[in-house]
């Protein structure tokens, strides 16, 4: 059982607000503008593609206690400040200090794999500590077993690169250059590492300057009260929505990931939410993940920081409302989080974590399922975004071949909603797929095909989002490939009559005598110049009976390449011939309406096992 975080203290007792409503909105806008300016600086000055092009970075602002007051739309953040406070108490901090870590276990899952670097800096007004700013980004290579640092081959976190415990990187403006030198020396691509760290440090410095300006303009007491009001506003909304979604009692849901890349699996995540009356008569909301399967030998383990369930549910309940702020109000809305040490969502050190993205995405699907176990409204399940890593050399003909590292994250389909289709071909939150021009200009490959995968979105009244096909021609002298695809055996579930999404696949030299299928979670596949690599990513689950989708919408999907004519007839009961709708044949076919059950994963079922 995991105790509540010391960095998420109870809100202050009700007092008359210092900050009036108009000033509150001005401060909220200024803080959010600061956050965006910090992120723009990272995007424009970072060196590695995963930060600059993929946009795998985030920023946040914390109040003087270290509670997240303004964050990003990322449902994986937990308690990011306590790891620093445990080593460097707030009362010892000075203007110009900067703290750094990537220690997943030491931070209790505040970061979830070692490539992610966190920088945290205090903001002062005179001698008063007023706030903290944070920048976080995925570094391309930090050492470890293979270039790129994350690999399905890993069996220990020590094989996933250098581990940085909470460290004072800058002491009152003086940079610890030797700590940086050790870090960069562990990277196979130190120039990228140095450039990315400079971008991250500059972002935090900018954030400190901007937040200090806000405090100087409005006063420290006013800003402190404004941040407390924003936290309380989010917490109040999330608790109200939790009460609207869940009656008193316990709600359970489970889902599975296929494998850990070492022949083990599937692994089940089993979550529960309980609403009960506390001793004081107030509602208590308890999140329980203790029934999840044991940790995996391979690197699909996820250290789920206890703030994450509330953060993810909070983001869902906020629903993109521009008047609300993403902050720790979500985690504060959950009264207790129960985790079991040794489980796949709370592994014991030194279990590997590099491929935890599979489990993270399945975790979010289970939370969707929990909401649907209540009053409903959450999407059907989504696929887990795909990661492919190519490591090799090119330019042998020049006599001096050069190494390259391409980590290409590829988008997938997201689950349908009860009012709209799922989103097609997206990566994760604000992150992006690499453009063709960037890939071909920067790496020894040629992209032969890039588009959506027909029929990958789960059929339904609202169709699941479609996955992506990328077909690469290898121009490198040689390369080794690592791939991460999930949802092949256990595709994303459909809901309320909707059907499951399609699974992904990876093939080398398709349609030739040299064709070979590659395991979906594997490393070490050898590629040579001229090979063709075809990757298809999975789609999202559908929502509602497919026969309830208007025939005209199905025709649009067929014409747009999202659904084939055969699938339109088989799953939607819509007959399309020569790109035209056959109304009479469709009405006849739809008269025999197939029965459905609440969930679909390859077949209709009452419960997900």
């Amino acid at each position: 059982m995991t105790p509540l975080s010391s960095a998420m203290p109870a809100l202050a007792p009700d007092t008359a607000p210092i900050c009036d409503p108009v000033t509150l909105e001005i401060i909220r806008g200024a803080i959010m503008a600061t956050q965006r300016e910090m992120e723009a600086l990272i995007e424009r000055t970072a060196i590695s593609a995963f930060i600059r092009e993929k946009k795998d970075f985030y920023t946040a602002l914390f109040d003087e206690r270290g509670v997240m007051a303004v964050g990003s739309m990322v449902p994986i953040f937990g308690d990011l400040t306590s790891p620093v406070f445990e080593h460097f108490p707030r009362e010892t901090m000075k203007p110009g200090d900067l703290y750094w870590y990537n220690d997943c276990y030491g931070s209790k899952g505040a970061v979830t794999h070692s490539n992610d670097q966190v920088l945290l800096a205090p903001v002062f007004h005179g001698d008063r500590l007023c706030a903290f700013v944070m920048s976080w980004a995925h570094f391309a290579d930090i050492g470890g077993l293979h270039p790129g640092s994350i690999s399905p081959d890993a069996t220990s976190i020590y094989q996933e690169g250098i581990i940085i415990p909470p460290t004072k990187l800058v002491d009152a403006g003086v940079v610890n250059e030797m700590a940086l030198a050790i870090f960069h020396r562990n990277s196979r691509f130190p120039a990228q590492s140095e450039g990315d760290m400079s971008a991250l440090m500059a972002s935090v410095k900018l954030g400190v300057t901007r937040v200090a300006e806000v405090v100087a303009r409005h006063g420290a007491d006013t800003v402190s009260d404004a941040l407390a009001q924003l936290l309380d506003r989010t917490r109040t909304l999330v608790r109200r929505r939790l009460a609207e979604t869940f009656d008193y009692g316990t709600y359970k849901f489970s889902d599975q990931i296929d494998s850990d890349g070492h022949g083990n699996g599937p692994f089940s995540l089993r979550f529960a939410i309980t609403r009960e009356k506390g001793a004081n008569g107030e509602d208590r909301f308890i999140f329980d993940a203790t029934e999840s399967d044991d940790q995996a030998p391979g690197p699909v383990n996820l250290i789920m920081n206890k703030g994450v369930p509330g953060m993810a549910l909070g983001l869902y309940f906020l629903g993109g409302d521009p008047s609300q702020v993403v902050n720790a109000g979500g985690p504060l809305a959950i009264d207790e989080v129960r985790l079991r040490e040794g489980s796949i969502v709370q592994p014991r050190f030194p279990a590997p974590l590099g491929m935890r993205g599979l489990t993270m995405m399945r975790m979010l699907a289970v939370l969707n399922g929990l909401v649907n176990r209540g009053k409903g409204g959450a999407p059907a399940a989504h696929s887990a975004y795909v990661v492919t890593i190519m490591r090799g050399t090119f330019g042998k003909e020049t006599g001096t071949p050069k190494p390259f590292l391409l980590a290409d994250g590829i988008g997938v389909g997201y689950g349908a909603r009860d009012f709209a289709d799922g989103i097609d071909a997206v990566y994760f939150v604000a992150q992006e797929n690499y453009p063709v021009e960037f890939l071909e200009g920067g790496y020894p490959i040629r992209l032969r095909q890039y588009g959506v995968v027909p029929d990958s979105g789960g059929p339904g009244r609202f169709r699941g989002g479609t996955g992506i096909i990328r077909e690469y021609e290898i121009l490198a002298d040689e390369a080794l490939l690592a791939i991460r695809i999930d949802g092949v055996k256990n595709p994303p579930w459909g809901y309320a009559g909707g059907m499951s999404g399609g699974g992904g696949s990876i093939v080398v030299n398709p349609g030739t005598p040299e064709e070979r299928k590659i395991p979906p979670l594997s490393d070490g596949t050898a590629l040579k110049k001229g090979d063709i690599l075809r990757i298809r990513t999975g789609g999202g689950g559908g929502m509602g009976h497919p026969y309830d989708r208007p025939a005209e919408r199905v025709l649009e999907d067929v014409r747009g390449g999202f659904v084939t004519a055969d699938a339109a007839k088989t799953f939607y009961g819509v007959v399309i011939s020569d790109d035209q709708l056959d109304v009479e044949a469709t009405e006849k076919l739809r008269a025999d309406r197939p029965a459905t059950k609440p969930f679909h994963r390859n077949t209709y079922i009452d419960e997900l096992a």
Side-chain angles (χ1 to χ4, degrees):
M1 199 175 290
T2 304
L4 291 175
S5 168
S6 59
M8 293 182 180
L11 295 175
D14 290 337
T15 56
I18 299 172
C19 183
D20 63 83
V22 173
T23 304
L24 175 63
E25 293 306 307
I26 292 172
I27 292 174
R28 180 176 71 91
I31 295 300
M32 295 179 73
T34 295
Q35 182 188 30
R36 294 189 181 103
E37 189 178 3
M38 292 170 66
E39 292 182 346
L41 189 152
I42 296 173
E43 180 181 350
R44 293 170 182 170
T45 60
I47 300 300
S48 66
F50 224 73
I51 300 177
R52 190 182 72 248
E53 299 292 334
K54 180 63 64 182
K55 299 179 177 51
D56 196 349
F57 58 83
Y58 305 100
T59 62
L61 166 78
F62 305 80
D63 69 12
E64 68 269 26
R65 300 170 298 170
V67 181
M68 184 186 290
V70 179
S72 295
M73 292 285 184
V74 184
I76 57 170
F77 278 144
D79 175 7
L80 287 155
T81 55
S82 281
V84 172
F85 296 162
E86 289 172 1
H87 293 78
F88 303 96
R90 287 176 295 168
E91 58 270 19
T92 67
M93 294 180 175
K94 307 179 296 296
D97 286 351
L98 178 63
Y99 303 89
W100 167 35
Y101 68 88
N102 77 342
D103 188 341
C104 303
Y105 286 93
S107 69
K108 301 179 179 64
V111 287
T112 51
H113 69 183
S114 299
N115 291 72
D116 297 339
Q117 310 301 312
V118 175
L119 297 187
L120 181 75
V123 180
F124 283 83
H125 180 65
D127 294 330
R128 177 172 173 175
L129 175 59
C130 298
F132 295 87
V133 296
M134 182 275 297
S135 290
W136 169 103
H138 176 107
F139 278 49
D141 182 85
I142 59 166
L145 187 64
H146 296 302
S149 306
I150 56 175
S151 167
D153 284 348
T155 56
S156 165
I157 195 170
Y158 288 117
Q159 297 171 329
E160 297 176 337
I162 187 171
I163 299 172
I164 307 296
T167 300
K168 184 181 282 190
L169 180 58
V170 182
D171 187 354
V174 179
V175 179
N176 187 337
E177 298 289 357
M178 290 310 300
L180 285 177
I182 293 170
F183 179 69
H184 298 319
R185 180 61 172 157
N186 276 270
S187 176
R188 299 171 179 88
F189 298 88
Q192 288 189 21
S193 178
E194 292 168 7
D196 291 344
M197 184 60 78
S198 295
L200 216 57
M201 292 173 69
S203 170
V204 173
K205 184 177 181 180
L206 174 65
V208 169
T209 300
R210 292 290 183 262
V211 175
E213 291 171 352
V214 174
V215 174
R217 185 177 303 118
H218 297 283
D221 288 339
T222 299
V223 172
S224 178
D225 183 66
L227 298 182
Q229 287 190 49
L230 292 175
L231 275 166
D232 190 53
R233 188 161 77 181
T234 301
R235 176 182 179 274
T236 299
L237 180 146
V238 174
R239 283 186 69 84
R240 175 173 59 80
R241 292 295 309 277
L242 282 167
E244 292 170 353
T245 301
F246 300 104
D247 292 328
Y248 292 103
T250 298
Y251 300 80
K252 295 185 176 183
F253 198 82
S254 66
D255 205 348
Q256 294 179 318
I257 60 173
D258 290 346
S259 168
D260 68 343
H262 292 257
N264 307 296
F267 295 89
S268 291
L269 282 70
R270 301 182 183 92
F271 296 168
I273 284 183
T274 298
R275 180 187 177 190
E276 64 181 23
K277 282 288 187 184
N280 60 359
E282 297 290 329
D283 281 351
R284 278 176 49 81
F285 295 97
I286 301 167
F287 177 86
D288 191 322
T290 57
E291 294 184 1
S292 296
D293 281 354
D294 290 344
Q295 68 189 60
V300 297
N301 301 290
L302 168 70
I303 306 178
M304 186 169 66
N305 186 276
K306 58 190 178 32
V308 166
M311 182 65 71
L313 287 168
L315 277 170
Y316 167 71
F317 288 132
L318 291 177
D321 183 347
S323 69
Q324 299 294 334
V325 176
V326 177
N327 57 33
L332 286 167
I334 305 292
D335 296 284
E336 185 178 354
V337 174
R338 298 172 180 172
L339 303 171
R340 178 176 62 86
E341 187 180 2
S343 71
I344 194 167
V345 292
Q346 198 67 194
R348 293 187 179 93
F349 181 84
L353 309 170
M355 295 286 163
R356 93 296 187 225
L358 298 183
T359 310
M360 179 185 73
M361 296 301 286
R362 198 54 48 221
M363 171 196 75
L364 298 176
V366 178
L367 291 173
N368 286 348
L370 279 175
V371 170
N372 288 330
R373 274 287 181 236
K375 299 293 179 61
H382 47 266
S383 283
Y385 57 88
V386 170
V387 173
T388 177
I389 303 175
M390 296 185 211
R391 325 167 181 104
T393 61
F394 68 99
K396 182 172 63 176
E397 66 279 0
T398 67
T400 54
K402 298 179 180 179
F404 77 94
L405 170 64
L406 169 58
D408 189 5
I410 312 175
V412 294
Y414 275 61
R417 296 151 286 181
D418 60 4
F419 61 92
D421 292 347
I423 305 172
D424 300 307
V426 292
Y427 189 68
F428 181 56
V429 192
Q431 299 174 15
E432 300 179 1
N433 296 303
Y434 288 153
V436 175
E437 297 83 358
F438 167 77
L439 280 173
E440 294 187 343
Y443 299 95
I445 62 165
R446 180 179 295 119
L447 219 59
R448 292 161 48 104
Q449 187 177 2
Y450 179 32
V452 300
V453 180
D455 300 334
S456 57
R461 165 66 180 88
F462 296 105
R463 174 179 55 77
T466 56
I468 287 176
I469 181 171
R470 275 199 195 268
E471 193 170 275
Y472 309 80
E473 180 181 353
I474 307 303
L475 305 180
D477 302 322
E478 48 78 30
L480 291 178
L481 172 72
I483 186 71
R484 191 194 79 187
I485 298 177
D486 189 53
V488 178
K489 296 179 180 177
N490 297 282
W493 43 266
Y495 182 61
M499 304 179 76
S500 53
S505 65
I506 178 167
V507 180
V508 176
N509 296 321
T512 73
E514 296 181 335
E515 177 176 318
R516 51 190 167 128
K517 294 182 179 180
I518 307 303
L521 185 58
S522 61
D523 203 344
T525 296
L527 301 173
K528 63 182 187 301
K529 182 176 289 189
D531 279 346
I532 305 299
L533 176 67
R534 177 185 292 167
I535 298 174
R536 296 175 184 260
T537 72
M543 178 82 73
H545 199 300
Y547 276 34
D548 290 334
R549 187 171 182 82
E552 293 76 13
R553 292 288 305 279
V554 179
L555 177 62
E556 290 176 7
D557 283 341
V558 172
R559 288 174 172 174
F562 296 94
V563 175
T564 63
D566 286 344
K569 181 178 180 180
T570 302
F571 300 116
Y572 291 95
V574 175
V575 180
I576 297 172
S577 179
D578 296 328
D579 225 19
Q580 299 297 319
L581 177 63
D582 188 329
V583 176
E584 183 178 350
T586 296
E587 291 176 349
K588 182 178 179 181
L589 188 57
R590 283 190 160 184
D592 185 14
R593 184 183 178 90
T596 66
K597 292 184 178 181
F599 295 97
H600 185 276
R601 171 171 277 160
N602 299 317
T603 187
Y604 281 111
I605 48 180
D606 290 313
E607 298 281 349
L608 286 177

